[in-house]
């Protein structure tokens, strides 16, 4: 379970994309290292132990991706089912940031990829000026482009049929409402940071920032274990993240000019992070 989204920042002529990574079992998240992509592309993938590829990432052209697991309606058992993820999807995620120089190029590639990838998926691809939100299930693929304001998604489909319904998974719907409210209130760098620390429903699975606590019977015990935000104005890429914890109790690491001067600042507060993320 995850919360993903973005916000266009007019005053900085750029975009922030973000992901809150929630897992059921405690997992080790790895410090990101810049890797070489196709030609002159360099990219920063975020990885975790036991996975075949990145759960989020960005490249020096400002192309980033954040993805969320899609939960489906299962009428015979009345439960939510997590999609199966195999090596193919992580190879495709890697290609977004290792081979593509625009969000549009990446969206075209992924839309074709999903035609033969039968598992459900939810994906948000971004660069400085455009964003593509994709949902897929079986051989159905829906893709919309956005060029302003903000967007958020959790674990139920917003465009396709067959997604988990509210009675079967309250969390996905409640987190989406909270994310949209926070982004609508602050359509700047503060918005995403407010989303990621949100605990309107307390330390429960219903909140965006979740801890390992008692879980109601219709939900799975997922809790926040990592967070990543990417900013680009088409020239410079900045990144803020926290790993192996949650953003309310774990300080951020900030990398300014990721693919240039690559200045790393550790133990940065939320206030400092939101002030510095969009500075170029």
């Amino acid at each position: 379970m995850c919360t993903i989204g973005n916000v266009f920042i007019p005053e900085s002529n750029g975009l922030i994309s973000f992901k809150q990574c929630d897992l059921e079992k405690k997992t080790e998240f790895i410090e990101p290292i810049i890797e070489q992509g196709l030609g002159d592309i360099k990219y920063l993938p975020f990885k975790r132990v036991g996975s075949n590829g990145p759960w989020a990432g960005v490249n020096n052209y400002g192309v980033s991706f954040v993805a969320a697991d899609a939960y489906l309606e299962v009428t015979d058992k009345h439960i939510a089912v997590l999609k199966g993820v195999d090596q193919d999807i992580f190879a495709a995620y890697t290609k977004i940031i290792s081979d593509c120089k625009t969000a549009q190029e990446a969206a075209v590639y992924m839309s074709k990829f999903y035609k033969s990838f039968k598992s459900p998926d939810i994906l948000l691809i971004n660069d400085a000026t455009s964003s593509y939100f994709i949902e897929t299930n079986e051989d159905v693929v829906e893709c919309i482009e956005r060029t302003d304001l903000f967007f958020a998604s959790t674990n139920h489909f917003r465009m396709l049929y067959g997604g988990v319904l509210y009675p079967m998974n309250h969390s996905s719907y409640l987190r989406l409402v909270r994310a949209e409210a926070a982004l609508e209130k602050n359509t700047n760098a503060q918005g995403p940071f407010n989303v990621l620390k949100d605990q309107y429903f307390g330390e429960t699975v219903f909140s965006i920032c979740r801890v390992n606590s008692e879980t109601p019977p219709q939900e799975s015990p997922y809790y926040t274990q990592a967070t990543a935000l990417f900013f680009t104005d088409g020239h410079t890429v900045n990144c803020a993240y926290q790993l192996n914890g949650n953003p309310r109790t774990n300080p951020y690491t900030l990398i300014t000019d990721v693919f240039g001067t690559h200045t790393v600042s550790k133990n940065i507060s939320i206030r400092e992070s939101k002030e510095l993320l969009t500075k170029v």
Side-chain angles (χ1 to χ4, degrees):
M1 288 177 122
C2 300
T3 301
I4 61 175
N6 62 29
V7 58
F8 287 87
I9 313 292
E11 59 267 32
S12 299
N13 295 314
L15 174 144
I16 295 174
S17 60
F18 62 87
K19 172 167 177 168
Q20 190 96 295
C21 190
D22 304 327
L23 297 174
E24 185 174 0
K25 296 181 180 179
K26 184 172 176 55
T27 302
E28 181 183 350
F29 285 76
I30 305 166
E31 284 286 335
I33 299 173
I34 293 175
E35 299 187 19
Q36 182 64 51
L38 181 67
D40 64 345
I41 296 177
K42 294 181 180 180
Y43 65 100
L44 187 73
F46 281 73
K47 301 178 181 180
R48 60 181 185 254
V49 172
S51 176
N52 292 315
W55 51 273
V58 65
N59 70 22
N60 57 318
Y61 282 85
V63 178
S64 68
F65 85 90
V66 287
D69 292 325
Y71 276 69
L72 301 182
E73 178 185 8
V74 181
T75 55
D76 58 337
K77 294 183 179 179
H78 302 288
I79 61 173
V81 176
L82 180 65
K83 72 176 178 65
V85 179
D86 60 20
Q87 189 168 353
D88 291 340
I89 191 66
F90 287 114
Y93 288 163
T94 300
K95 191 175 180 69
I96 292 172
I97 51 176
S98 68
D99 290 26
C100 298
K101 296 183 178 182
T102 67
Q104 181 183 35
E105 179 186 357
V108 169
Y109 167 77
M110 288 303 299
S111 294
K112 292 179 180 178
F113 168 83
Y114 283 136
K115 287 293 184 180
S116 59
F117 183 73
K118 298 303 182 181
S119 295
D121 201 25
I122 298 173
L123 179 65
L124 188 61
I125 303 171
N126 314 273
D127 59 25
T129 59
S130 61
S131 172
Y132 295 84
F133 178 66
I134 306 175
E135 291 180 347
T136 183
N137 189 23
E138 296 295 338
D139 58 352
V140 179
V141 181
E142 289 287 345
C143 178
I144 60 169
E145 180 185 8
R146 298 183 63 90
T147 57
D148 63 357
L149 301 178
F150 62 87
F151 189 80
S153 179
T154 48
N155 300 102
H156 62 278
F157 288 140
R158 305 197 63 180
M159 298 182 290
L160 298 182
Y161 292 105
V164 66
L165 302 177
Y166 177 75
M168 299 155 62
N169 194 285
H170 297 342
S171 169
S172 187
Y173 289 82
L174 295 175
R175 285 182 289 117
L176 179 60
V177 170
R178 290 297 303 164
E180 290 183 327
L183 295 176
E184 185 174 22
K185 182 178 180 180
N186 295 110
T187 54
N188 51 34
Q190 183 172 339
F193 283 95
N194 286 349
V195 169
L196 296 168
K197 71 175 184 178
D198 186 81
Q199 280 189 347
Y200 181 83
F201 296 104
E203 294 184 344
T204 71
V205 72
F206 300 131
S207 290
I208 293 173
C209 183
R210 300 184 284 185
V211 299
N212 195 2
S213 62
E214 185 176 351
T215 306
Q218 75 271 24
E219 300 276 348
S220 297
Y222 281 73
Y223 64 102
T224 299
Q225 299 190 42
T227 304
L229 303 96
F230 309 110
F231 168 78
T232 181
D233 63 352
H235 304 285
T236 302
V237 174
N238 297 336
C239 172
Y241 63 91
Q242 66 82 27
L243 306 176
N244 301 305
N246 75 64
R248 292 182 71 92
T249 59
N250 214 20
Y252 277 97
T253 294
L254 179 72
I255 308 177
T256 54
D257 195 10
V258 174
F259 302 100
T261 59
H262 194 83
T263 302
V264 180
S265 302
K266 295 184 177 292
N267 298 317
I268 303 297
S269 68
I270 290 177
R271 179 184 61 79
E272 293 172 307
S273 297
K274 68 187 180 186
E275 289 176 355
L276 296 173
L277 183 62
T278 57
K279 296 236 183 206
V280 295

